[in-house]
Amino acid sequence: MNELLPIVFLGLMGLAMLAYVILDGYDLGVGVLFRRADPEQKDWMIASIGPFWDANETWLVLGVGLLLVAFPRAHGVILGALYLPVAFMLIGLILRGVAFELRAKSGADAKPMWDRVFYAGSLLATLSQGFMLGHYIVGFEQSWTGYAFALLIAPCLTAGYALLGAGWLMMKTTGELQHRAIGWARVSLLLTAVGVLAVSLATPVVSARIFDKWFSMPNLIALMPIPLVTLALFALAFIFLRRLADDARSGNTQDIDRWVWVPFCCAVGIFVLAFFGLAYSLYPYLVVDRIDIFEAASAPESLRIILIGTALTLPAIVVYTVFAYRVFWGKARLLDYG
């Protein structure tokens, strides 16, 4: 039982981080796309994420909290190596939150300034997360190669978030904004593919252990569905985005509303498969080939107590999340702060 506890907490932490990447990913993506929209369209973009964005960040708090209490040794190494990008990410998230609230309560003269702050905060947060991901994958390698790879992944993850955000806008809005979101998604899809390919190639190169996990037999055959399905999702997203773009040009709104959900679901599927591929590559290590979950874990007695708290907290977050999305299902409506 004691040996299972670190695995359980690794799964819970992974679930929290995956939920964060998808849920907060699309509203960060909406922020990244903010600069490209007209003033009126920006109000609709804000309205599409207004009921959700704050609660989406709860998953980040849960994931990092589980890392701290369940794997304190790894927490110190990871957060220590990522001190600066984490600080920049937090600054970006703070700027987003402040701008989100103040743009709704400011006069017409100040609103453009808060729009720029919201965009800048979103871009800073996503680039910081991308840099952290790239630096983490190479095992925090202190070299020009390691930093160059992290700098490559930074805009690729931002593009992935923009893909999620564009897909979200396609589902939640109508008219010109929906049509523009289709174009934004087509551009973001390409850079997202570059990021997924870079991560897929880098992880086996970084570690001989990871290379053997993927390319030894029979693992190679058993794992082949992951890259094949990922490639199929990219192709499916490309095909449907091109079809939706044609429908937008011809004014065929009925077909747009019928299939508009497909690109977003493809993007979610790509993120899920990429996450599980990375998780398989790294397991059982929290820091590549340096610290595994068993040596980083807290004492079994502590983990059992933490598990009780998690068993109470996690269902509450899930129920609230499902309830919020059920209540605000459908097309966005402009927010009214009275």
Side-chain angles (χ1 to χ4, degrees):
M1 178 60 183
N2 290 344
E3 294 181 356
L4 289 177
L5 285 173
I7 300 175
V8 170
F9 274 97
L10 180 66
L12 292 173
M13 186 177 68
L15 173 64
M17 298 310 296
L18 177 60
Y20 170 77
V21 166
I22 293 174
L23 296 180
D24 205 38
Y26 77 74
D27 69 60
L28 282 167
V30 170
V32 170
L33 297 170
F34 211 60
R35 186 175 62 88
R36 300 177 178 272
D38 299 332
E40 183 180 354
Q41 292 174 346
K42 291 177 180 178
D43 291 336
W44 284 103
M45 293 171 76
I46 288 292
S48 73
I49 63 173
F52 313 108
W53 73 274
D54 204 7
N56 289 343
E57 294 179 355
T58 305
W59 293 101
L60 177 63
V61 176
L62 178 63
V64 176
L66 287 175
L67 176 63
L68 170 62
V69 297
F71 306 104
R73 180 182 172 189
H75 177 274
V77 172
I78 294 172
L79 270 295
L82 300 176
Y83 183 84
L84 282 178
V86 167
F88 283 123
M89 180 191 72
L90 293 177
I91 291 172
L93 294 177
I94 291 170
L95 290 175
R96 271 173 51 88
V98 171
F100 190 97
E101 297 297 333
L102 292 184
R103 76 177 298 278
K105 304 178 186 300
S106 300
D109 294 338
K111 194 172 182 179
M113 179 191 70
W114 292 118
D115 286 345
R116 289 191 292 269
V117 172
F118 184 73
Y119 164 73
S122 302
L123 186 62
L124 181 59
T126 57
L127 289 174
S128 299
Q129 290 180 14
F131 183 89
M132 286 189 286
L133 175 62
H135 200 35
Y136 176 74
I137 288 171
V138 298
F140 309 124
E141 181 182 335
Q142 305 293 319
S143 67
W144 287 111
T145 304
Y147 288 120
F149 180 76
L151 289 173
L152 169 65
I153 298 302
C156 292
L157 183 63
T158 298
Y161 283 164
L163 177 62
L164 287 171
W168 179 258
L169 290 173
M170 288 160 55
M171 295 189 299
K172 298 292 286 185
T173 62
T174 58
E176 179 63 23
L177 178 56
Q178 185 185 57
H179 298 169
R180 296 185 72 176
I182 295 171
W184 296 336
R186 297 182 73 182
V187 175
S188 301
L189 185 66
L190 177 60
L191 194 52
T192 303
V194 172
V196 171
L197 180 62
V199 171
S200 301
L201 294 177
T203 43
V205 172
V206 168
S207 168
R209 178 188 60 84
I210 295 176
F211 183 91
D212 291 339
K213 289 182 73 172
W214 279 93
F215 296 103
S216 62
M217 297 295 290
N219 291 7
L220 179 61
I221 296 176
L223 296 171
M224 190 59 67
I226 295 180
L228 291 180
V229 174
T230 301
L231 182 61
L233 288 174
F234 272 111
L236 189 64
F238 176 81
I239 292 170
F240 270 89
L241 285 171
R242 185 172 63 179
R243 174 176 176 174
L244 291 170
D246 293 339
D247 289 337
R249 283 191 292 267
S250 64
N252 189 357
T253 57
Q254 185 175 358
D255 273 358
I256 291 178
D257 289 335
R258 181 182 303 170
W259 300 110
V260 76
W261 55 272
V262 175
F264 181 79
C265 291
C266 288
V268 171
I270 290 167
F271 269 88
V272 170
L273 288 172
F275 176 86
F276 278 105
L278 182 60
Y280 171 78
S281 296
L282 297 178
Y283 181 83
Y285 289 90
L286 287 170
V287 179
V288 180
D289 294 344
R290 287 170 54 190
I291 303 176
D292 65 37
I293 60 174
F294 302 103
E295 59 183 313
S298 299
E301 296 80 8
S302 300
L303 291 178
R304 282 194 286 268
I305 295 174
I306 299 166
L307 185 60
I308 296 173
T310 307
L312 297 174
T313 303
L314 183 59
I317 297 174
V318 171
V319 169
Y320 172 79
T321 300
V322 172
F323 178 75
Y325 280 86
R326 180 66 185 87
V327 169
F328 295 101
W329 192 260
K331 297 295 182 180
R333 292 175 292 179
L334 286 178
L335 299 179
D336 182 10
Y337 288 85

